[in-house]
């Protein structure tokens, strides 16, 4: 009989670019350990990398990990782009052990009932944040108690039932994400390659960090916007009040973690969150004063109208080196389709201003927004060639993801993302992309994962790709 409660948090393989530390998983590790539960992380991306380096069998590493670690419960993170990989990983785990598997993450939040109805390998699902609920679930399963946990979805007496919903956790209740759970997994072969693997990430490509060792962090959780193509506003919603929320860490708490990262040899940090709280003026200036003392470079995602020119020169002196904006389109009528409103001229002036004071700016550009025409495509390509002089753009397809407003409008429920779903019977006026379309996935950054629907055909996407390349524009990604 197992005498020690041990949780194994599993991350499926990600088809796209490596994303560094998954801070949500690292935060879960902290919450579990704080509750007295031993915790380890198995990252299938790292296992694949290590197996390639060591010329060994990838699947054998998973088996060896489970045999040596002997977990009592497995947490499986599921995001829509890696859903097929997550299901594959669940099946492999089930062949090795009969211990409970609990699904969590964005896709599990919106598709919990579908997952439990169709995939018997998975025993439970936890919706939303699990920092509070997963430790309770792990303890109750270990002690063989009746499960009485908020946000839990389970099979019971032949039915799939959900427990009551609770509000998102307060930031003051969370300790620092446990990066060591990624850097030092108990399997030696994974620990050997972890530090090298996790430096192969997006924020290490930021030129304005000047080659400093970089890592990610978050100052806030949540999103108060309601973009029709994006799910975070729903994931972080307070469903007890039916309102989106964003919670911000205290400056002291944040700076304590940054000081710790500096002592570990990091010289730059990327705020890996929906949007850094540039709209919190008092908080922002206090933060800037403190981080200046540590000589750390920093940057992150931002919302255009929340960042003002007036404090930017001072923020640059305090180490701000990078901003990433979701412009999506410079075309006004298309912006209205996605609940955004920013003139192309204002965007250009702001980007130029940032570069002039030493702040690198990248922007995301969507293609395939409803209402797009050959003329708007040509104007967009002309705009990026004129105004994004350093190749500073991410290109994405206006894809539809479960739980978003676009999915709701098109009548696409989470069952449509099941691997065996007949796409020919799908409602809505959409086209399904397959992950095997590598020529698209390697150019449009959000098409690197599993299949997804969009408003334009793959043929049109390839034509846009060719037009951008022929125009001479070279994205830095």
């Amino acid at each position: 009989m197992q005498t020690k409660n041990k949780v194994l948090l599993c991350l499926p393989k990600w088809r796209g670019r490596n994303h560094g530390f998954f801070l949500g998983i690292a935060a879960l590790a902290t919450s579990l350990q704080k509750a007295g539960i031993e915790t380890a992380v198995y990252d299938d991306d790292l296992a694949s990398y290590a197996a390639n380096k060591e010329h060994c069998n990838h699947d054998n590493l998973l088996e060896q990990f489970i045999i040596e670690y002997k977990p009592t419960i497995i947490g499986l993170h599921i995001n829509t782009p890696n859903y097929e990989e997550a299901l594959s990983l669940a099946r492999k785990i089930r062949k090795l052990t009969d211990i409970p598997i609990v699904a969590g993450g964005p896709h599990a939040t919106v598709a919990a009932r579908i997952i439990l109805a169709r995939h018997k390998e998975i025993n439970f699902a936890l919706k939303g944040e699990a920092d509070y609920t997963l430790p309770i679930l792990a303890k109750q399963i270990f002690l063989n108690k009746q499960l009485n946990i908020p946000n839990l979805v389970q099979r019971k007496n032949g039915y799939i039932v959900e427990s009551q919903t609770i509000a998102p956790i307060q930031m003051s209740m969370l300790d620092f994400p446990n990066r060591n759970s990624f850097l030092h997994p108990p399997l030696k072969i994974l620990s050997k390659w972890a530090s090298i693997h996790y430096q192969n990430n997006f924020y290490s490509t930021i030129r304005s960090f000047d080659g400093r060792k970089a890592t990610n962090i978050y100052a806030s959780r949540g999103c108060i916007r309601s973009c029709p193509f994006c799910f975070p506003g729903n994931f972080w919603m307070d469903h007890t009040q039916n309102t989106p929320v964003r919670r911000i860490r205290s400056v002291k708490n944040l700076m304590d973690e940054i000081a710790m990262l500096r002592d570990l040899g990091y010289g730059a940090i990327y705020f890996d969150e929906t949007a850094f709280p540039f709209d919190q003026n008092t908080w922002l200036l206090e933060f800037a004063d403190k981080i200046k003392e540590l000589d750390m470079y920093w940057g992150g995602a931002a919302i255009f109208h929340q960042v003002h020119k007036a404090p930017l020169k001072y923020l640059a002196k305090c180490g701000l080196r990078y901003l990433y904006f979701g412009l999506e389109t410079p075309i006004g009528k298309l912006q209205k389709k996605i609940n955004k409103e920013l003139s192309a001229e204002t965007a250009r002036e702001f980007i130029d201003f940032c570069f002039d004071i030493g702040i690198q700016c990248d922007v995301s550009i969507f293609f395939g927004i409803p209402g797009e025409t050959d003329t708007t495509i040509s104007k967009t390509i002309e705009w990026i060639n004129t105004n994004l002089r350093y190749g500073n753009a991410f290109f994405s397809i206006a894809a539809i993801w479960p739980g978003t407003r676009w999915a709701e409008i098109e009548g696409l429920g989470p069952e449509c993302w099941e691997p065996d779903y007949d796409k020919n019977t799908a409602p809505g006026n959409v086209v399904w992309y397959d992950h095997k379309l590598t020529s698209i996935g390697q150019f449009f950054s959000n098409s690197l994962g599993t299949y997804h629907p969009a408003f334009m055909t793959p043929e049109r996407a390839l034509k846009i790709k060719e037009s951008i390349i022929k125009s001479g524009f070279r994205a830095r990604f």
Side-chain angles (χ1 to χ4, degrees):
M1 180 179 175
Q2 185 86 16
T3 59
K4 194 170 185 180
N5 196 1
K6 301 168 77 172
V7 172
L8 177 59
L9 300 174
C10 289
L11 275 167
K13 187 170 175 57
W14 190 274
R15 289 195 180 98
R17 299 178 180 90
N18 180 269
H19 286 240
F21 299 118
F22 275 72
L23 294 176
I25 300 300
L28 277 180
T30 297
S31 296
L32 287 160
Q33 290 162 346
K34 189 177 178 180
I37 302 169
E38 187 175 331
T39 306
V41 172
Y42 172 82
D43 183 347
D44 211 33
D45 259 338
L46 172 59
S48 178
Y49 180 82
N52 182 60
K53 291 294 185 181
E54 298 285 342
H55 307 289
C56 63
N57 187 287
H58 175 197
D59 289 340
N60 288 349
L61 294 180
L62 172 64
E63 182 177 5
Q64 185 181 351
F65 201 120
I66 290 176
I67 290 173
E68 292 185 10
Y69 186 65
K70 298 180 176 62
T72 52
I73 183 174
I74 288 178
L76 180 64
H77 180 267
I78 307 180
N79 218 330
T80 304
N82 68 357
Y83 184 38
E84 285 189 68
E85 299 289 353
L87 295 176
S88 175
L89 185 58
R91 290 190 291 269
K92 291 176 183 177
I93 292 170
R94 187 53 71 229
K95 288 180 180 179
L96 299 170
T97 178
D98 61 356
I99 63 174
I101 298 176
V102 54
H107 192 85
T109 294
V110 72
R113 286 180 170 272
I114 297 294
I115 291 171
L116 292 186
R118 302 194 180 191
H119 305 286
K120 302 304 181 183
E121 303 88 356
I122 298 173
N123 304 88
F124 308 100
L126 283 172
K127 299 174 73 171
E129 294 174 325
D131 306 83
Y132 171 73
T133 54
L134 184 56
I136 300 174
L137 178 63
K139 285 184 176 181
Q140 291 186 357
I141 288 176
F142 182 71
L143 298 172
N144 199 27
K145 289 187 174 182
Q146 183 175 353
L147 301 181
N148 182 24
I149 302 158
N151 295 358
L152 178 68
V153 185
Q154 61 179 316
R155 302 183 191 92
K156 194 171 185 180
N157 300 324
Y159 297 93
I160 295 174
V161 297
E162 297 187 34
S163 60
Q164 80 277 14
T165 300
I166 58 171
I169 195 168
Q170 295 299 311
M171 297 294 277
S172 60
M173 297 175 65
L174 298 174
D175 289 331
F176 305 156
N178 184 355
R179 287 171 169 79
N180 282 334
S181 61
F182 281 85
L183 288 170
H184 302 292
L187 202 61
K188 289 183 179 179
I189 189 175
L190 300 185
S191 186
K192 174 182 176 180
W193 294 101
S195 61
I196 298 173
H197 174 69
Y198 290 119
Q199 275 304 115
N200 178 27
N201 52 53
F202 155 70
Y203 32 90
S204 293
T205 72
I206 297 174
R207 289 191 298 261
S208 55
F209 281 173
D210 293 341
R212 294 187 178 199
K213 185 179 179 182
T215 189
N216 54 340
I217 194 172
Y218 57 81
S220 66
R221 277 190 183 184
C223 182
I224 56 175
R225 295 181 63 82
S226 56
C227 300
F229 54 84
C230 199
F231 184 66
N234 288 343
F235 181 79
W236 302 111
M237 181 174 287
D238 181 352
H239 290 281
T240 65
Q241 304 294 326
N242 200 33
T243 56
V245 294
R246 179 183 62 172
R247 293 141 296 153
I248 301 173
R249 297 170 66 175
S250 70
V251 172
K252 182 184 184 310
N253 177 269
L254 180 58
M255 292 311 305
D256 286 346
E257 184 177 4
I258 293 174
M260 179 194 73
L261 294 174
R262 181 200 58 181
D263 292 343
L264 291 173
Y266 293 102
I269 50 176
Y270 176 78
F271 284 94
D272 197 356
E273 56 200 271
T274 306
F276 186 79
F278 282 100
D279 57 330
Q280 303 297 308
N281 295 331
T282 301
W283 182 96
L284 179 63
L285 292 177
E286 181 184 356
F287 164 78
D289 290 340
K290 295 295 183 182
I291 199 169
K292 183 179 181 182
E293 297 172 4
L294 297 181
D295 185 32
M296 293 284 281
Y297 288 173
W298 57 283
I303 298 171
F304 262 115
H305 72 263
Q306 291 183 353
V307 185
H308 305 291
K309 287 184 178 179
L312 273 181
K313 286 186 178 180
Y314 180 68
L315 295 178
K317 291 179 181 179
C318 297
L320 176 59
R321 292 293 183 272
Y322 178 77
L323 290 172
Y324 166 65
F325 293 104
L327 176 62
E328 319 311 356
T329 174
I331 309 300
K333 68 177 183 180
L334 296 181
Q335 285 188 359
K336 292 179 181 178
K337 297 270 189 177
I338 55 175
N339 296 341
K340 297 201 173 190
E341 189 171 346
L342 179 74
S343 74
E345 181 63 18
T346 300
R348 182 196 64 77
E349 289 178 356
F350 188 88
I351 292 168
D352 286 348
F353 176 80
C354 286
F355 272 102
D356 288 343
I357 61 174
I359 299 173
Q360 176 185 337
C361 283
D362 287 332
V363 299
S364 65
I365 300 293
F366 269 7
F367 288 99
I369 297 171
E372 183 179 75
T373 65
D374 289 343
T375 299
T376 64
I377 291 171
S378 296
K379 287 183 176 179
T380 299
I381 295 174
E382 179 183 353
W383 188 88
I384 63 175
N385 273 287
T386 302
N387 299 295
L388 303 182
R389 59 193 188 216
Y390 299 105
N392 44 315
F394 291 95
F395 296 123
S396 298
I397 290 171
I400 306 170
W401 303 106
T404 63
R405 177 61 178 153
W406 274 352
E408 180 183 337
I409 291 171
E410 297 299 326
L412 300 172
E415 70 279 358
C416 297
W417 279 263
E418 287 297 307
D420 61 353
Y421 184 78
D422 184 358
K423 310 301 184 300
N424 294 321
T425 67
N429 185 28
V430 298
V431 179
W432 288 84
Y433 283 55
D434 191 283
H435 62 76
K436 296 175 184 177
L437 295 168
T438 55
S439 59
I440 292 178
Q442 292 170 355
F443 191 80
F444 296 101
S445 60
N446 67 337
S447 294
L448 287 161
T450 190
Y451 54 80
H452 62 79
F455 299 103
M456 69 175 176
T457 65
E459 292 77 16
R460 188 171 179 82
L462 285 172
K463 184 178 179 182
I464 291 171
K465 170 186 172 181
E466 293 169 2
S467 296
I468 293 172
I469 293 173
K470 286 181 180 179
S471 75
F473 186 84
R474 294 292 182 268
R476 71 177 192 86
F477 302 101

